[in-house]
Amino acid sequence: MESAGVVGNELQRLRSEECFREIFEDAQERAARWDLDPLPVRQRRIPARYGGDDLDVQNKLSSMLLNGEYDADLVSRYPELSSKLELSLPFFRGQFQSSSVEGYRQIFKAMNPSVRAMFGEVEALLRLLLVSPASSTEAERSFSALRRLKTWLRGTMTQRRLNHVMVCHIHRERLAQVKLEEIAEQFVVSSDDRRRIFGRFQ
């Protein structure tokens, strides 16, 4: 046990800043003496799921909405979009301004249905941005969440319940903002029997 303590103390000493500086200066001195060139730092490649054409397309779509840069080639790739977007996008951006896709989502959410109907092409572009994943990481994250949720203890869970649990797990930030008292009050108020059993929420 004492030898393990000695080794631990030595390793702790070697991890200090002064010891690192000594080793580094010694290595530089030997490299200069033997005329060695330092090895180049290996550049790490971006994993394929983070790069590629999908991410570029997603960036161009969001740039089209946020900056008004219409791209006819990109529009032709999606059957949901048409060339009318070239006319409706500047008109929409003249009326409504936001710096993010989420901001435009909030604008459309608060919009009157008759006004929203005027900007059908822009709404289709926004829906496309919100629905289409930029890479496969979102799907992989869903499968990772599924592996964490559906353990052997939860093997008899029905598909409907599993879907609800998955949505709650993936969107837990939004779920944390829900006020439980309001939900409980709605549950109690919806039935006379419940009102008699639980009383009223103050």
Side-chain angles (χ1 to χ4, degrees):
M1 199 61 165
E2 190 177 330
S3 60
V6 171
V7 171
N9 291 337
E10 179 63 17
L11 290 174
Q12 214 41 44
R13 186 189 69 77
L14 291 173
R15 290 184 74 175
S16 67
E17 188 71 32
E18 298 82 27
C19 190
F20 171 77
R21 201 173 293 115
E22 284 176 22
I23 293 170
F24 185 71
E25 287 171 359
D26 183 44
Q28 281 185 320
E29 186 182 308
R30 289 183 187 206
R33 191 178 335 134
W34 295 329
D35 196 26
L36 296 174
D37 292 328
L39 290 171
V41 178
R42 194 175 120 208
Q43 295 292 325
R44 292 189 64 189
R45 286 189 330 195
I46 298 173
R49 64 178 180 228
Y50 295 121
D53 191 41
D54 292 342
L55 194 58
D56 293 338
V57 168
Q58 186 77 5
N59 286 336
K60 285 178 184 175
L61 281 173
S62 60
S63 177
M64 196 184 305
L65 180 66
L66 298 176
N67 305 326
E69 299 168 359
Y70 180 78
D71 188 345
D73 294 334
L74 189 61
V75 169
S76 65
R77 292 175 64 173
Y78 292 95
E80 299 90 351
L81 304 175
S82 72
S83 56
K84 294 177 186 174
L85 184 64
E86 188 174 8
L87 300 173
S88 60
L89 190 59
F91 179 54
F92 172 78
R93 287 179 47 75
Q95 302 297 317
F96 306 99
Q97 286 294 322
S98 179
S99 60
S100 67
V101 175
E102 178 61 24
Y104 280 122
R105 188 187 74 80
Q106 294 291 342
I107 288 170
F108 266 99
K109 189 176 177 184
M111 203 179 279
N112 190 318
S114 58
V115 177
R116 188 189 298 179
M118 293 171 57
F119 304 110
E121 292 297 321
V122 181
E123 185 179 6
L125 174 63
L126 180 64
R127 284 178 186 273
L128 199 61
L129 273 168
L130 293 173
V131 171
S132 62
S135 68
S136 64
T137 52
E138 292 179 32
E140 289 171 14
R141 192 180 304 129
S142 299
F143 282 115
S144 299
L146 181 64
R147 194 178 307 120
R148 282 193 301 272
L149 288 173
K150 189 147 186 187
T151 61
W152 65 274
L153 290 172
R154 296 188 182 127
T156 58
M157 197 186 315
T158 62
Q159 186 64 44
R160 186 164 182 251
R161 177 169 166 73
L162 181 63
N163 289 344
H164 291 296
V165 171
M166 279 286 291
V167 169
C168 290
H169 179 73
I170 291 171
H171 300 290
R172 55 186 173 274
E173 296 87 11
R174 289 190 179 186
L175 196 62
Q177 297 170 0
V178 173
K179 295 180 180 174
L180 297 177
E181 292 82 12
E182 291 180 7
I183 294 173
E185 188 172 359
Q186 287 176 6
F187 176 75
V188 170
V189 169
S190 63
S191 169
D192 291 334
D193 293 336
R194 292 177 194 156
R195 202 178 290 121
R196 273 196 307 275
I197 294 168
F198 297 109
R200 293 187 61 185
F201 281 83
Q202 298 299 326

